[in-house]
Amino acid sequence: KQEVTQIPAALSVPEGENLVLNCSFTDSAIYNLQWFRQDPGKGLTSLLLIQSSQREQTSGRLNASLDKSSGRSTLYIAASQPGDSATYLCAVEGSTFGDGTTLTVKP
Amino acid sequence: EPEVTQTPSHQVTQMGQEVILRCVPISNHLYFYWYRQILGQKVEFLVSFYNNEISEKSEIFDDQFSVERPDGSNFTLKIRSTKLEDSAMYFCASSDYRNTGELFFGEGSRLTVL
């Protein structure tokens, strides 16, 4: 059974800092991994989808990587802003979600 | 920009009652999903739906739950005989492909069972 873990559970950084969020999964035979953002009481907003054949995807200040062999994905956020404060979730094949990392960016 | 819409945003019901949560997926998407998120817990997959039938379901999706696509636009989740532990946020999502498609979520329907 696939298990997804996200570390750290919470992260607080000053504005402008670059940061990395981690997602690990136990079964490397995956089709895709997707990163989402969730604001309190809201739905999930898709950030990046990485297919199994890809190693990374980029959108603006966000870069997500995927290493299937090691069962890891990272989400890199460059030049963080207070508006980036939210919970970031990773999901494997849309079926198994991590607990999320709650990010706070302080002005 | 196309989006997934869900109604109601919040529903309060008495234990034992039936509820129907409604979703309008993105119009050209073919795969539809329901998830739930109990307060403070992980998002959990319930069911996926394609070509007017369930394609996959989790252990959570037992006989208490059912899904339907009653017309060309709506996708519904019915919860029969609600229990206190059914209180959660229920999310609908859609994608254009099952294994390679990007998932797009609605804002959710908060269900409170009293």
Side-chain angles (χ1 to χ4, degrees):
Chain A
K1 180 184 174 184
Q2 180 74 266
E3 294 182 2
V4 177
T5 304
Q6 292 188 246
I7 295 173
L11 182 63
S12 180
V13 300
E15 182 177 3
E17 212 168 87
N18 302 325
L19 59 103
V20 175
L21 307 180
N22 297 291
C23 172
S24 60
F25 46 95
T26 54
D27 184 349
S28 62
I30 66 171
Y31 287 106
N32 65 52
L33 185 145
Q34 192 167 353
W35 283 92
F36 295 90
R37 168 189 173 132
Q38 185 176 31
D39 291 288
K42 299 290 187 180
L44 280 66
T45 300
S46 177
L47 298 174
L48 289 164
L49 171 70
I50 312 178
Q51 306 294 352
S52 62
S53 58
Q54 299 171 322
R55 293 192 66 85
E56 64 178 66
Q57 283 280 18
T58 298
S59 176
R61 294 183 293 110
L62 305 180
N63 176 277
S65 69
L66 176 64
D67 183 346
K68 284 177 53 179
S69 62
S70 66
R72 294 184 61 187
S73 176
T74 61
L75 179 67
Y76 174 82
I77 302 177
S80 58
Q81 303 170 356
D84 294 331
S85 298
T87 296
Y88 291 80
L89 304 173
C90 66
V92 171
E93 298 177 342
S95 298
T96 309
F97 285 73
D99 284 305
T101 294
T102 299
L103 173 66
T104 302
V105 181
K106 298 179 179 178
Chain B
E1 184 175 324
E3 60 180 14
V4 176
T5 57
Q6 292 186 241
T7 55
S9 57
H10 189 192
Q11 179 152 0
V12 181
T13 191
Q14 295 292 323
M15 192 168 53
Q17 295 297 305
E18 175 182 287
V19 298
I20 297 176
L21 306 178
R22 293 180 168 79
C23 169
V24 179
I26 293 173
S27 61
N28 64 337
H29 284 182
L30 301 176
Y31 295 87
F32 316 121
Y33 312 83
W34 283 102
Y35 298 84
R36 82 173 181 191
Q37 187 176 33
I38 296 170
L39 186 64
Q41 297 187 22
K42 288 186 180 187
V43 174
E44 299 173 293
F45 168 77
L46 292 178
V47 65
S48 61
F49 191 87
Y50 169 72
N51 200 25
N52 284 320
E53 61 183 27
I54 291 173
S55 52
E56 191 176 349
K57 62 181 180 179
S58 72
E59 294 174 349
I60 303 168
F61 194 88
D62 59 19
D63 292 343
Q64 187 192 3
F65 296 90
S66 61
V67 290
E68 191 178 35
R69 188 156 164 82
D71 54 44
S73 59
N74 289 285
F75 179 50
T76 63
L77 174 68
K78 181 187 291 185
I79 309 174
R80 288 178 281 274
S81 190
T82 50
K83 300 173 284 193
L84 296 177
E85 53 265 39
D86 294 327
S87 295
M89 190 75 119
Y90 289 82
F91 292 108
C92 174
S94 69
S95 68
D96 50 3
Y97 297 100
R98 174 63 183 103
N99 292 324
T100 58
E102 185 175 4
L103 279 173
F104 292 89
F105 277 72
E107 286 294 301
S109 293
R110 180 171 299 283
L111 175 64
T112 302
V113 182
L114 302 177

